[in-house]
Amino acid sequence: MSFPDGDDISSGALIYDPMDQEEAPAESEALLPVYLRPMPSASGHTYGTLSYNKRSRCWVVKGDPSVTEMCKRLFPGSKGSKRGEARFTDHRRMVADLQWLMLRFPLDIRMSDLTHWQEAIGKAREHAVREARAALLPPKMTPREGTFEGTLMPFQQEGLSHLMRHERTLLADEMGLGKTVQALACLASQGTFPVLIVPPPHLCRNWQEETLRFLRIEGKVPRVYQITGLKPYPLPEADVYIMHYLLLRGWKDILPGLGFKVVVFDEIQELRHAGTEKYSAASLLSSAADRVLGLSGTPIYNRGGEIWNVINILDFHFLGDWESFTREWCYGYGREIVAKPDLLGDYLRREGLMFRRTKAQVLSELPPKRRLVQELDFNDAVYTRLMAPVLQELGKWQEGGSLSIQEKRLLEESISLHARQATGIAKAPYVCAFVKALLDGGEKVLLFAHHHQVFDIYREELKAYHPSFVTGRESLDEKTKAVSNFMEERTALLCISLRAGSGLNLQKATCVIFGELDWSPAVHSQAEDRAHRIGQEDSLLCYYLVSPGGSDAFMQESLGLKVSQFVSLMGDTPKGQEEVMEEAGYARRHVEALAASLRTEKPGEGAEKRPAEANL
């Protein structure tokens, strides 16, 4: 582990990995709070008994009313249903509280439960030592050389330090601040594999690409495998496994035994509702792991009580059971509305269970405009069906003997246009899923595309967000109203044609999304500038959403794009004659590339091969 310049590392304790448990016993005991150090055997009066209830997974204190009343007064979550009884969840923090309580009120531990108590108090002590040693880590950290390909911004270095100090935590940075990168930096720093990453379906491919881009294991690219299907099967050996949330229920009984040391739940708000097989599988998986990271800029949507479900996945019963949580934190037993959400947030941050920064807080570290290329899945079957008529045109173009130059050029443009349209339609549902996450996070989004059929899908998939449209099909009054709705914040989503937004001033936007690509870099730059204008006070985030198949790969190459980065600056000057001539050749080269690919595979077939095998 290395540290940024300026951090004080004069104390040897700073370089320890908080997961390292091989320190000398004397050092460990010195780091323990007094109340967790070994106690002498009780030789005088005892106030009751301590036993373990396996069914409820809790410790039960029975004894004098004086001690059970004290339990309930000091620890409201310990209230039991019977007089003379108090219950403590079998959580390392609650076990530590029990140990502290017994310094004042010694209890007899039932012999049959003595071994379990020794294990429980041992885990509580180990946790306390790790927390004490982790507290000595510097406030900013960078991964050690050779484990991570990338540079963290200062606020991301702070995020890495937090993730390394806390084994189970929620990184709740706002969208666009690099939660994925910080999580990968943590994996690189901690160096314990195998790891399981659980994202929503539309982000699986992005996690593959980002893992391969940033992470290194002994100087080499990691082995990445995406788990597919609901039916379990033997997994090949890999360093990083990826499985989306919808598959968890099928693998529920298998995952806890597969030995994943670290689990990352991306967009963990997917688990904000308990009572499902998905939630149960995630809970079992989390309990079997040493380190669990949750990532989400919007961990709850409607009710503050949803945070209990999220935190319960990260650290089981950290907030007590549901009944005690709602009784103490919410407006009454079983209610989901948190009475003092600011107080609960402060508690979670203070205890290391949550870490959050907003763009406003780190704006000085962000460039005015950030461009990110994000790879999404697309529907191979839909692409293949839409490309079937194009094959006939392509055959006609390949024969080409009787075609004039003008006819051949028109045919090239038609083939290229239909291939781009097929690509846009095939990935449109995944684009919508990505946009929904941004909107749910409070972003104001400009969504650019090209084809009317693609906009029709956006209209249907995103109708719950009441989007406005400027696509070239609207009248002047309708266009004016759409812009007004967005600028006056009656809607947070404006869908615009790539070549229909000229002259519009849309600086209310915080994110620009390209659901489809144009041949011209200048078109994209001018589209970005609809939002990035005088009056724009935020750091503008521009996402280029690309698919692994179809025409996007060729267009990326033409635009100078590579996944997750820009290879060259994008143009923002008016097109000259040379650029116009260059664009005229894009369609021809696109058709040539299509013809070359179709000699060896059917449309969509190559993309089907990529998710599991090609990235190993």
Side-chain angles (χ1 to χ4, degrees), residues 538-558:
D538 203 352
S539 174
L540 186 66
L541 194 55
C542 304
Y543 282 105
Y544 288 72
L545 305 183
V546 299
S547 64
S551 60
D552 276 357
F554 180 79
M555 297 188 76
Q556 283 177 257
E557 192 68 30
S558 299

Side-chain angles (χ1 to χ4, degrees), residues 4 140-143 148-161 177-178 180-186 189 214 365:
K140 294 181 182 179
M141 301 174 67
T142 58
F148 186 78
E149 294 290 321
T151 301
L152 300 179
M153 287 181 275
F155 75 88
Q156 293 172 330
Q157 294 171 2
E158 292 175 355
L160 173 58
S161 179
L177 297 188
T180 299
V181 170
Q182 292 173 75
L184 289 171
C186 178
S189 301
F214 286 107
E365 298 181 33

Side-chain angles (χ1 to χ4, degrees), residues 75 77-78 87-89 91-99:
F75 310 104
S78 70
R87 297 186 172 217
F88 290 75
T89 299
H91 184 279
R92 57 180 178 269
R93 295 174 189 266
M94 296 297 282
V95 168
D97 290 341
L98 263 175
Q99 173 88 346

Side-chain angles (χ1 to χ4, degrees), residues 156-233:
Q156 293 172 330
Q157 294 171 2
E158 292 175 355
L160 173 58
S161 179
H162 173 85
L163 294 178
M164 290 302 295
R165 289 199 304 272
H166 303 285
E167 300 168 357
R168 294 171 178 267
T169 189
L170 169 64
L171 181 60
D173 285 349
E174 271 192 337
M175 179 77 74
L177 297 188
K179 292 186 291 294
T180 299
V181 170
Q182 292 173 75
L184 289 171
C186 178
L187 299 183
S189 301
Q190 201 232 338
T192 302
F193 298 93
V195 171
L196 177 63
I197 298 171
V198 186
H202 68 282
L203 294 180
C204 286
R205 186 170 297 278
N206 185 66
W207 271 100
Q208 283 185 335
E209 297 295 337
E210 298 294 82
T211 300
L212 293 170
R213 177 190 175 196
F214 286 107
L215 196 58
R216 294 294 180 268
I217 300 175
E218 296 181 354
K220 297 180 181 179
V221 173
R223 297 166 299 173
V224 180
Y225 180 81
Q226 183 174 337
I227 299 172
T228 59
L230 282 168
K231 185 176 180 180
Y233 57 89

Side-chain angles (χ1 to χ4, degrees), residues 528-591:
E528 292 173 352
D529 287 344
R530 298 308 99 211
H532 189 245
R533 301 168 70 90
I534 296 174
Q536 169 68 276
E537 298 176 352
D538 203 352
S539 174
L540 186 66
L541 194 55
C542 304
Y543 282 105
Y544 288 72
L545 305 183
V546 299
S547 64
S551 60
D552 276 357
F554 180 79
M555 297 188 76
Q556 283 177 257
E557 192 68 30
S558 299
L559 288 168
L561 288 167
K562 282 189 176 181
V563 173
S564 302
Q565 59 184 327
F566 272 83
V567 176
S568 59
L569 294 177
M570 299 181 64
D572 57 0
T573 55
K575 290 181 286 186
Q577 183 63 29
E578 183 177 341
E579 187 178 355
V580 172
M581 295 298 293
E582 179 68 14
E583 282 191 32
Y586 285 150
R588 182 180 67 256
R589 292 196 294 276
H590 185 200
V591 173

